[in-house]
Every structure is written in structure tokens, then in C-alpha cells.
Amino acid sequence: MKIVDLELYHSSIPLHTPFKTALRTVTVAESIFVKITCDNGIIGWGEAPPTHVITGDSLASIHYTIDKVIRPILMDTELSSYTHIFTQLEKAIVHNTSAKAAVDMALYDCLAQAANQPLYQYLGGRSSAIQNDYTVSVNAIDQMQKDAKLYKENGFDILKVKVGKDPAEKDIERVAAVRKAAGEDVLIRLDANQGWTAKEAVKSITKMEELGLNIELVEQPVPAHDIEGLKYITDHTATPIMADEAVFSVHDARRVLEMGACDLINIKLMKAGGIHQAIKIANLCEAYGVSCMAGSMIETKLGITAAAHFAASHPAVTRFDFDAPLMLSGDILEGGIQYEGKGNQITFSNQAGLGIQSLKESYLKGINKERSW
């Protein structure tokens, strides 16, 4: 099976409600899509969103990296040598992990289709259904309470609450209000998106423990580079601490695991550079006895489908954060994962690969020719 063509597309889909964190506010989801065609007619799809404040990737950098750096490596390559291809993909350029991830998932889509298996089964198969959460954006307290009540009414019994934008005392008020609105039967996890200092985090988390707010975990409380601070928080609180932006690569994961700097790790394909690298991180976490969450950026259902297939295949991944497509005003994809009910459960079809039937042309713009971003 030989790669004979690679095409690129761009889409821009408004969110029905702004997504607000300590790092950014998102109102429109933009992505670059990759279409890989093989000589036997198999087509694989991938997606890369620009997430400037986390990965550093932009629309322009993703397009250039795939078109000018990765394309020459892939063309006329036999996919039977896929291990070599993934090695070349990783070495082709430093960083640029979102561009790599888009190509990686398209390649895995092709490989699983060739094996006539859904991707999660091709990767080892573990679960055909996973439980999803929903994110409560950082907002005024009354708005966060309304959102928490709505998401609970929609069937979500796991809420991911964004904090870290304002002084920590305000965050405690927010979390207490959300807990009151959601009730005690809802699992609440926090994501500070690097918004606290280590001492602020310890003080805030300890206070929330004393108040009995029953927080499942706190994700990336300090800046990504502050591994010592992350360890300080882990050592001085009872609530489990999760590393997110601090871990892009397997080397990052090894560092935090060796230091005991966190209790959990959030794996995202856009940070890792795709499924191939994400599996390495998950394998390392499994060896250390550390569980993982699989999450995402603001992506369409295409990128989330790939991430969900990875997540459902690996025993180290025990938590799932795949609500991004539910925030969009439209669905670009025919096929892929299925959101059951209002989206609190995710199931997989029996179709091979990612199970993608087509992308809706009304959302896509071809960008194979030179263009200015």
C-alpha cells in the first residue's frame, strides 16, 4: 500500500458558546485537515487545530510543515514500513506537534482500514464505549452555576471546571458555587491551565479540601516549565495533581514521573505529535503505575475520533475529556465516533479505521496552492 497523494483543507466553525480558560477565549474553531490517498483507494484523514498559547502552532506553520516538510517524506512511501515512517515523521522537524499529529492519525486511519478493523481494535482494543465529561468555562459565578446545572441536566455526571484566571480566592468561590449547583453526585475536576503559583495552589487546594468540595483532581496548576512547583503541590496536597502542558513528549513524561512531580498525566495527540508518540507516553505511565487522561484542544469530531480510538485502546487511559465537538455550531464529519444522549457517552462504529464516511464540503476550503495566511 503506497501513498500517492496528500491534500490539505481548512475549516472555520463558530462555537455556540465561547470557551474560556485562564489562557484564552475561543469563539471559532479553526483546523487544517489532511487527506492521504493510497494506491489501493484507501483514504485516511487527520486534523490539526492551531493552539498558539499551548503548542505554538498556527495555521500557517501547520500548513507549511505538512506541505513542505512532511509531504516529501511521505510521497510514494510503502505503508508496510510504517514504523520507519513514524520515526521519520518525528525527526523531520522539531516541535510542530499538531502538524505531525494530523499526519499520524491519517496514516493510522489508512493502516486500520487496510487491516479491516476499527482503529481502537487495530491498536489493541480495550473498550467500545467511554464516558465523557463537559467543561464549565471560567465565568461569573452565577453563569458557572447555570452551566453546571445545564450540563448535569444533559446527563453529564463529570464536570471539568476551569479556574486560574483570577486570584485564587475567587476560584474557591467559583468551585464552591459549582459544587452547590451540581450536587454531591457529580464528579468535579479542576483545570487551572497554569494560572496559579505553587504556593497559591497548595493554599487553594487545601482550603477546598477543608471545605469538603470533593475535587477529583487538579490539572496543571502551575506554568508548564515549573516542574519543581508541580512536585511541591503534589507533595503538599491530598488531591491528585495532573500534569498537562508540562508533558508533550515521552521525555517530558519520564522527567515528571522520575521526580514524582504529579499523580496523573493528560495525553493529547496535539501535544504528543500523534498516536504513535501518545502510545509511548501511555506505556511509560503504565510502567510507573500512573493513570492518564486523554484530552484534546478545540477540535472537530475528526481529531476527537482519533484521540478517542487511542484512548479506548490503552489500559493506562482511565479518564476522557472529549467535549470539544459538542461546543461547535456544526459537525463537519459524516461518521466517526458517536455521542450518545447529549454527549456524555461515546461509542464506536464497526467501520474500519476512524470510520469516516466523508467531510462536509460546505465547511472545507482547499489550500493546496500557495496562499497567504
Side-chain angles (χ1 to χ4, degrees):
M1 184 168 63
K2 183 181 292 186
I3 298 171
V4 295
D5 197 12
L6 186 154
E7 300 171 76
L8 297 174
Y9 300 88
H10 169 237
S11 77
S12 180
I13 305 175
L15 277 66
H16 56 68
T17 305
F19 174 75
K20 299 179 181 180
T21 76
L23 291 173
R24 59 179 180 150
T25 296
V26 182
T27 58
V28 178
E30 293 195 277
S31 283
I32 300 291
F33 295 93
V34 179
K35 179 183 179 183
I36 289 177
T37 304
C38 300
D39 59 358
N40 59 357
I42 286 178
I43 292 173
W45 287 95
E47 176 183 0
T51 314
H52 307 157
V53 295
I54 299 176
T55 64
D57 298 327
S58 66
L59 287 172
S61 69
I62 293 167
H63 176 241
Y64 182 90
T65 297
I66 297 174
D67 190 42
K68 302 301 183 183
V69 180
I70 297 175
R71 183 198 296 270
I73 296 172
L74 294 183
M75 295 308 298
D76 297 320
T77 300
E78 286 285 350
L79 266 179
S80 57
S81 303
Y82 64 87
T83 300
H84 175 70
I85 294 174
F86 287 124
T87 300
Q88 292 297 104
L89 179 62
E90 179 62 19
K91 291 182 176 180
I93 186 169
V94 299
H95 309 306
N96 290 278
T97 50
S98 299
K100 293 176 182 177
V103 173
D104 168 284
M105 66 179 71
L107 293 172
Y108 269 110
D109 190 12
C110 291
L111 289 166
Q113 287 182 64
N116 197 31
Q117 291 182 299
L119 180 56
Y120 78 93
Q121 291 182 355
Y122 177 80
L123 294 173
R126 183 173 66 91
S127 175
S128 59
I130 56 179
Q131 187 175 19
N132 197 22
D133 66 5
Y134 206 97
T135 301
V136 178
S137 286
V138 59
N139 273 307
I141 289 176
D142 61 343
Q143 183 62 52
M144 294 179 74
Q145 285 188 304
K146 290 178 183 177
D147 291 343
K149 287 181 181 178
L150 174 63
Y151 304 150
K152 181 181 179 180
E153 290 170 0
N154 286 344
F156 289 91
D157 51 16
I158 307 175
L159 298 179
K160 184 175 185 179
V161 180
K162 294 290 187 177
V163 293
K165 186 176 182 180
D166 297 309
E169 293 78 10
K170 187 72 172 179
D171 285 328
I172 296 172
E173 291 180 39
R174 286 185 169 113
V175 176
V178 169
R179 171 55 77 195
K180 182 177 180 180
E184 294 300 324
D185 57 336
V186 170
L187 197 66
I188 292 179
R189 51 184 60 145
L190 305 185
D191 186 359
N193 285 112
Q194 311 178 61
W196 292 334
T197 66
K199 289 187 176 181
E200 278 178 331
V202 170
K203 181 179 179 181
S204 300
I205 296 168
T206 300
K207 182 63 175 178
M208 287 186 277
E209 291 170 351
E210 292 171 351
L211 291 172
L213 297 182
N214 193 22
I215 304 305
E216 180 206 12
L217 61 89
V218 177
E219 184 175 347
Q220 199 60 51
V222 292
H225 63 82
D226 188 9
I227 306 303
E228 292 289 346
L230 191 65
K231 177 174 173 54
Y232 178 83
I233 301 164
T234 301
D235 289 345
H236 290 84
T237 57
T239 303
I241 304 301
M242 176 181 286
D244 180 10
E245 290 94 337
V247 176
F248 274 58
S249 69
V250 68
H251 308 293
D252 296 335
R254 182 178 64 185
R255 182 185 178 200
V256 299
L257 291 169
E258 286 179 347
M259 290 178 60
C262 63
D263 300 296
L264 305 153
I265 288 179
N266 189 340
I267 302 175
K268 296 175 181 174
L269 300 189
M270 296 304 144
K271 292 187 302 165
I275 295 168
H276 192 69
Q277 298 299 323
I279 291 171
K280 293 181 181 180
I281 297 172
N283 286 342
L284 184 64
C285 289
E286 185 178 25
Y288 273 84
V290 169
S291 295
C292 302
M293 174 188 285
S296 74
M297 306 304 178
I298 299 299
E299 305 167 33
T300 74
K301 201 170 75 172
L302 197 162
I304 301 299
T305 292
H309 275 271
F310 153 71
S313 75
H314 204 289
V317 182
T318 59
R319 295 166 175 83
F320 313 95
D321 180 26
F322 295 136
D323 58 345
L326 304 174
M327 303 177 189
L328 307 187
S329 60
D331 185 1
I332 195 171
L333 197 63
E334 296 285 355
I337 56 171
Q338 289 90 46
Y339 285 102
E340 305 297 335
K342 294 287 187 176
N344 59 313
Q345 295 286 332
I346 293 173
T347 59
F348 302 85
S349 72
N350 292 322
Q351 295 184 0
L354 296 176
I356 295 171
Q357 299 166 19
S358 65
L359 270 67
K360 299 172 185 176
E361 292 186 5
S362 59
Y363 288 105
L364 295 176
K365 299 178 182 178
I367 54 171
N368 293 300
K369 297 181 180 180
E370 294 293 332
R371 65 173 291 173
S372 171
W373 291 102

